[in-house]
Amino acid sequence: AERGRDGELRLLYWQAPSTMMPYLSGGTKELEASSVVIEPLARYDNDGKMHPWLAEEIPTVANGGVSEDLKSITWKIKPGIKWSDGSELTSADAVFTYEYCSHPDTGCTSSNYFNDIVSVDALDPHTIQINFTVAKPFPYAPFVGYNAPIMQKAQFDGCIGAKAQECTEQNFYPIGTGPFKVVDFKPNDVIVFEANELYREEGQPAFSKLLFKGGGDATSAARSVLETSEMHYAWNLQVEPEILTKMAEAGKGTIIAGFGTSVERLMGNFTNPDPDLGDDRAEYLGGNNNRNPHPFLSDYAVRRALSLAIDRQILVDAGYGSAGKVGCNVLPAPAIYASNANDECKTQNVDEANRILDEAGWVRGSDGVREKNGVRLSILYQTSTNSVRQGTQAFIKEMWKAIGVETELRNLSASVFFGGDPGSPDTYQKFYADIEMYTNNFSGTDPETYMANWTCKQVSRRANTWGGGNMPRWCNPDYDALSAEMSTTADLDDRIRLAKAMNDMLMQDYAMIPLVHRGGVSAFSNVIEGPRGNEWDSELWNIAEWHLR
Amino acid sequence: MQLANEKTPGMSDANSSKPLLRLKNVKQHFPITAGLLRRQAGMIKAVDGVDFDLMPQENLGLVGESGCGKTTLGRTILHLYRPTEGQILFKDVNLTQLKPSALRALRPKMQMIFQDPQDSLNPRMTVGSIIAEPLDEHSTLKGKDRSNRVEELLDAVGLNPRYTNRYPHEFSGGQRQRIGIARALGLNPEFIICDEPIAALDVSIQAQVVNLLEDLQEKLGLTYLFISHDLGMIRHISKRVAVMYLGKIVELGPAHELYSRSRHPYTKALLSAVPLHNPGREAKRERIILTGDVPSPANPPSGCPFRTRCPIAETRCANSMPQPKKLSLGHWVACHLVD
Amino acid sequence: MIQYIIRRLLAAIPTLLVISFVIFAILDLAPSDPTGNLPMTVPSEVREKIRTSLGLDQPMHIRYYKWLVQFVVNEPLNILQHSFGVTVGDAENRTRILSWATRSPVIDLIVERTPQTLWVVGLSFLFGILIAIPIGIVQAYRQYSLFDQIGTFVAMLGFSVPTFFTGVVAIIVFSVQLKWFPMIYDTTLEITSWNNFVLQVKQMIMPVTVLAFYQASQLSRFMRAAILDNLNLDYVRTARSKGRSESAVLMIHVLRNSLIPIVTLIALGIPTIFGGAIITEQIFRVNGLGQLLIIAIEGADIPTVQTLTFLFAILIVLFNLIADVLYGMLDPRIRYD
Amino acid sequence: MNTQTTSIDPAVIDTEHRSMWTDVWRQFRKHKGALVGVFVFAFIVIAVFVGPPIHGVDPNAIDFRARNLGPEWAHPLGTDNIGHDTLAQMLAGGQVSLAVGLSAALIALILGTLIGVLAGFVKSLDGPLMRLTDVFLSLPLLPLLLVSIMLFRDTLRAAFGPETGIFLLIVGLIGVTSWMHTARIVRGDVLSIKEREFVTAAYSIGTRRYRIVFRHILPNILSPIMVSATLGIANAIITESALSFLGLGFPPDFPTWGRLLYDGTNFIQITPSRVIWPGVFIALTVLSVNYIGDGLRDALDPRLRGR
Amino acid sequence: MLSNPDSDVVLSVTDVVTQFDTADGRVHAVNGVSFDVREGELLGVVGESGCGKTVTMMSLVKLLPMPPGKIVGGSALFDGQDLIQADSDALKKIRGGKIGFIFQDPMTSLNPVLTVGYQLTEALRLHKNSSKSAARKRAVELLELVGIPMAKDRLDDYPHQFSGGMRQRVMIAIALSCDPKLLIADEPTTALDVTIQAQILDLIQILRKELGMAIIWVTHDLGVVANLADRVMVMYSGFIVERADVEKLYSTPKHPYTHALLRTLPQMEGERAQRLESIEGQPPDQLLQPESCPFSPRCVYSFERCTRENPFLEFVSEGHEVACWWDLENDRPREVS
Ligand SMILES: Nc1ncnc2c1ncn2[C@@H]1O[C@H](COP(=O)(O)OP(=O)(O)OP(=O)(O)O)[C@@H](O)[C@H]1O
Ligand SMILES: Nc1ncnc2c1ncn2[C@@H]1O[C@H](COP(=O)(O)OP(=O)(O)OP(=O)(O)O)[C@@H](O)[C@H]1O
Ligand SMILES: [Mg+2]
Ligand SMILES: [Mg+2]
């Protein structure tokens, strides 16, 4: 088949990309857009399996690509790969990419992918060696996945450090090795790509032109694929399932969901968010012994009852449909890591929840709200603004009402809630509330750093300007020990065992309450074939293979 | 007129009792601003040096063409505008130097009847509250006393006291003017400036209002400054008349003398312009038709202000400002060509 | 007149300085953060680095000063250089106002987006005027007639039903059901042929109509009132007494006078065109200045928000002046000197 | 010449004492549109405040099995995607929307009138206040809202509780950001009214300045104020909905018409009644307020009374 | 009925009745007015405010606001055509062409936003089909005729640049522009002050002699009428109550109203009256259908018949008609002829 035979492919990303330079944005939309142009050495498929991309094969200890001490990894680039300007891809480009991103003034958003690196060396034009300061049981962060692709040295040479910001032309029109090249870039609006004539695969891509439109909202994005067929593909359609189902009735498109590690969860605050505490508000005081406990969430019984009272299936049905599964684990994927020790949560058990609370001495007051020693079970429950989340909030409020818990709902603009501005009281990191809800996940397939989020060191607090990943301020030395062990364990089975143990520890102490294992929803028109949905890497990872039906 | 050392024109020589009101070289200039920095670029000399005295219970008529500064003079006397220059003595109190609160306390003594009976009454207030407004401000009358006083005032100006709840638009022009008069009378003033109280009225109603004013003067011993451009009416109501032109008084004298033996060419022209109600006499009369319009008060002609329209002007008129001359008892005129 | 204009312009400078500072202070105080929209997988150390690279570690007054210099000196010099080839000073090291989200010069973003906003919002403003004027005239001329009553009713409806609703209804009816118009506005479309022109018209119809309806309902109220104010004045009777026909009386005599307040109102409305129409742009994906602003606000892209709102403020001040001058030109009775 | 108004001999009628408000009401009754407006508005208010106990459904009650229903006996206006009863939400939302609309418009009105009157009446304040108006006109609304919510929400929540607190904040914010047009119009009118002769007359009898404002100036600028009030209510109801969907408004379990309309828009093809009713009620409120405003304006003008 | 068979009658008005429908009821503004105007004659119309002078004149050429106004009946023969029945096209030809108008208020009767030149040439171009330049030339002549200096330079000025007196002269020039056969002047000098009024009266006298047209001069100033008119007609409450040659009217008024009116005036000559006479009471309520003599409630001579029957206009002596049941000269009820 001939390259470009299928004409124009029209994609709709209602959140529009603002730049084509993934290292300067880090937003998913920018990563997705740039993934059709610049590529990494290896990529994940929709099952989270790693495939060599620009590299010939995945280096492992077994094939000698990873050193025994786990301190270095050596990649071999496929020969003959050309940049779209005709020059050849060499290991110097990879070295440059590392220098670019690790330069302190660049403001590289993926710099954590290049952590603990001593050096990146070009052993020969096609061999790259990465040397780490510490043993890396999972050495596949640099140059793997859409977060860390290889950029062209020749183009970006003058753009390192502070200069990176000013290289508008380069940032908007990066030269890549991927199936498409940028023709026209309008930030936050539209990108026009055309097929890369020098793409390495014969007859790919099938489309000669790629229109990458942005703007609008999720509902109308779905409509444009499912109802009017103006677009071939629409991304990130987090809307109520019945709307999508209704639209899909027109029979013009298909809805797909890719599942990754995203879990919508409730975080309980283990510290006291009472505003009267001043600087100590929601502040974790004291090492292993929490000296500022939450008035009621520090009670295990309450946490457990709150979890038991929730009917997660309703949340899935009303808010997610096929894009969600009842979630009982914070680490639901990859499948090998998924625990089934916590399946109790799959069914709602209001009676049990009530019993637990009664037993713990929380008695219902005249207004039906439980109380103990003058402490009312009255929860301030915050999340970001989003109609599905508000629906979930409404359900949970009602469910908690059944066990005598009163809930005040609050929704905050996403840019504030996730903004992390140390001056704002409304960030999820500061957590000036009792319960908060959001989704978290990790990229790639290795849970080590993700699970390290709930160690004591990571507690989000004033001292680290609320920079830690441990929002619940939950601290357990046993957990810290497991986490430390995992960071030095290379054997996969041991790693699985440790990860599961950590997950179970979190779940069984109700350090957080998982609700829904979420998938990324997208829709594609029935006239095309190829989209497979991918939560581990770019949704467009296989765009070279997409074609008209 | 800068005749402070001489006897002020208008001081009636016969009556030596103290004047109620005394104007000394009163000027009212409105600034015109222009330019980038809003510098003052000129002056509208609306009133430009006026002196006269007004005796208690007198009725001085002030006549002149539209725009010559009559209203401005009236308002300046009452300090609705701060005078630019000069002194205004009311019962020997220099108003110009009074503090706002002291001035406010004095206001009941001096009142004004406004030119436009339509516009000088707040359309959204009832007649009762319009008339009661000065009472509220200056007296302690409350409730029944207050409404009695309002009814009394309405009665005094010949309006039915039952009208207190009506609005100005429900009255005819003459009635509206009476409301204005009642308001002015509310606090027993001694001095009233009547600013063209009849100009806006119908002939048949003019007579009613003028009669009323005359009756009130008689009953209450009021002093009037009667502004008008209706020379016929001034002749009827005033014993003394001042003729104003472009911010200055050009002739002042007893009415009978002024009407029969006017000396200033402007006064003559003015008088001849009034149509007589007698077709026979009218046909025979010789009229002086003035040409042109009144010059702009921002840019008055040099010398005598009237010289541009004066049928008998000479060169000296352009050079110097004529000083007021006394012709006979209480008759003053400012013209070079009169001796 | 010229003096008046210059004086007003000079007086505008301190006002604008205050406005720019107030805007900057508000944006700085606002709790959103440029790293807020990054996925949670980006750790906080990385976020801190990004903030530093954007210059957020400097104190506010320095950032404000920098922005001000860039806006007042650097950007005009840059325009000078690019449009007229005149280079003043060190062009190489001149920093421009860079957007935090795109890392590209804000002014370029604005220039890129102005055409679509002008087309859609501007045209709807124009149509709004063109519809409102005749409707307002007829409503006033036939005051209390059925036409007048219906007009009033529809106008009220027009400004009480928000565009986010009318827009979606329009899409469902005309794009989904009838398939007459596309629901996605293609900003890359260039009018090179008749076909493209038709496409352009088609894609503009819905957003323009939705907005124009809203504009017209407001303007027609003003137009009606303005005509009513003039219809019973004496000069209208004079015109009739000369033997003028009713239409000539209305169109030549009444309209001229009634348009004075309307034209100034329109002049005051023009800045809002440049403000874009946030909701309508979003619904139809016109992606003009309104969308740029809302995205920048949501992404805490302070340089973009600051520059956009400040340009907007300049336009407001400027068009206030233009409105006054127009008033003076249309109404010979008013003189500024 | 002043044309004689149709002069009914004053002696013939009215010996009784007329109160101003009976007059106003008498004239108001003659305005058909205003009367219909009053009935519609009263109906809405009564429905919204008396309706909930009659309907007897908690607007936040969830019936998971009854999601996305069309109108039926148990749910006259159907249900939403969560299982809320739309009618109950409409009624509860109406209370909030009406309260927000009326009070925010009132704040804007008071601010606008105050600033307009001061600017028009006190010459030295004119320049500064008009510049202030310019500043407010060019302020970016959204960031401003974010800032104020950050600064004031917790204080207000502590002082008045979560719902009243956010209500005050929202009402205050909408009010504070929408007074500018009123101020300009009022200023213009004050400038011309203060040159009218009855104001000079008031000075001449020694009326104090503040009384001149209250007695002579304010009553005569009522009609533009009335018009801005009408538009203000519509504006406030719509702005509130915009705030809600930006996450700056009321808590999510606090329905308002604007929010119902916004949330319902996505479901327009599934449950159209979710959008139609809020839309209809917003429009009806605005329309009725507008007609009431017209009627009041006429009724308050004594020159039109008695016609 | 006075119907002059003279062939030089320009306008012959018979029994014009005009009413207004208002919310309060029907206003009987004009209740059957008949009169003739002859070539070259100046007919004065006097009466107090609101007596229907303006409405009568406006009825003749249908310049009333209709509705609420309604011409119930009557005819006005002009140039062989009944103006009351004429359709709007025919009227348009006559208005401004054969009949010229001057209105009450010079300040508001000119359109403030159009130049004096335009307003002056409007009628010329409409009725005489003059070219633009010819019309302008004629306009200059007209302005000179009414005594505006440097007329040529002033054509492009706006009305506000003229003083009140000059504006009224412009109005006169407009009215004269097409050499009308009839000029209707509705209180053209009431708003002006004496000196300007004198100028205009002078001007009218001259023009009348030069152009020889018929003039109807409406006023409530008896002095002005004495100055100008050949014949005078006194109106009261929508009726003509007296009509006579000017000298006769002033020397021997035969209607009590005229009589009283003349006595209310202060005299410019002779002894100063102690007190002005005034007519007590209010004009009648025009909402009521007039059944009796409308002046009877205020009339000192009123007797039983007056409250029962409305008198009609009767010929009492050479050139003198009156509508009254009382014979003022002989101080007894009039004998009915
Ligand atoms: N507030 C003001 N500011 C500037 N100029 C003024 C002001 N008031 C009056 N003038 C000017 O002062 C002059 C005199 O005006 P004034 O009103 O006193 O005239 P007048 O004699 O009362 O005229 P009329 O007979 O028309 O009432 C006029 O040229 C007028 O334009
Ligand atoms: N548009 C109208 N609607 C209702 N009544 C009207 C209207 N126009 C005039 N009238 C009434 O018709 C009567 C005659 O009015 P007209 O204007 O003819 O009086 P006039 O004699 O010209 O008085 P003036 O001397 O004040 O000009 C008055 O009672 C007036 O109230
Ligand atoms: Mg005056
Ligand atoms: Mg008239």
Side-chain angles (χ1 to χ4, degrees), chain A residues 275-314:
Chain A
D276 295 341
L277 293 173
D279 273 0
D280 283 348
R281 182 180 189 187
E283 196 53 22
Y284 181 77
L285 304 174
N288 297 340
N289 188 8
N290 188 353
R291 277 190 279 119
N292 187 22
H294 192 277
F296 53 84
L297 286 177
S298 52
D299 182 347
Y300 171 78
V302 173
R303 300 200 298 272
R304 174 139 193 254
L306 290 179
S307 175
L308 279 172
I310 298 172
D311 184 341
R312 291 168 172 79
Q313 191 59 48
I314 286 184

Side-chain angles (χ1 to χ4, degrees), chain B residues 28 30-31 44-47 64-75 81 115 195-196 227-229 244 295-298, chain D residues 195, chain E residues 193:
Chain B
Q28 182 66 57
F30 296 109
I44 293 182
K45 297 177 178 167
V47 174
E65 278 171 286
S66 184
C68 70
K70 304 182 296 292
T71 301
T72 309
L73 177 61
R75 293 185 178 193
Y81 304 137
Q115 188 159 4
D195 185 5
E196 316 210 24
I227 301 174
S228 179
H229 59 228
M244 204 168 168
S296 154
Chain D
E195 296 303 325
Chain E
D193 69 69

Side-chain angles (χ1 to χ4, degrees), chain A residues 158-214:
Chain A
C159 296
I160 261 188
K163 280 273 172 208
Q165 314 285 328
E166 291 167 30
C167 290
T168 311
E169 178 69 21
Q170 289 90 331
N171 293 339
F172 283 3
Y173 298 92
I175 292 169
T177 53
F180 290 97
K181 55 184 186 192
V182 203
V183 182
D184 190 9
F185 181 78
K186 295 192 164 152
N188 291 327
D189 178 13
V190 65
I191 316 169
V192 181
F193 299 94
E194 64 183 30
N196 176 5
E197 287 306 323
L198 300 175
Y199 188 59
R200 56 189 175 275
E201 301 292 335
E202 185 68 23
Q204 286 182 357
F207 294 96
S208 59
K209 191 176 166 196
L210 175 63
L211 189 81
F212 201 103
K213 175 75 180 177

Side-chain angles (χ1 to χ4, degrees), chain E residues 54 104 186-187:
Chain E
T54 302
Q104 202 155 351
D186 186 9
E187 314 208 26

Side-chain angles (χ1 to χ4, degrees), chain C residues 97 214 228 262 274 289 318:
Chain C
I97 308 169
Y214 182 75
L228 278 179
I262 296 297
F274 290 88
L289 295 173
L318 193 71

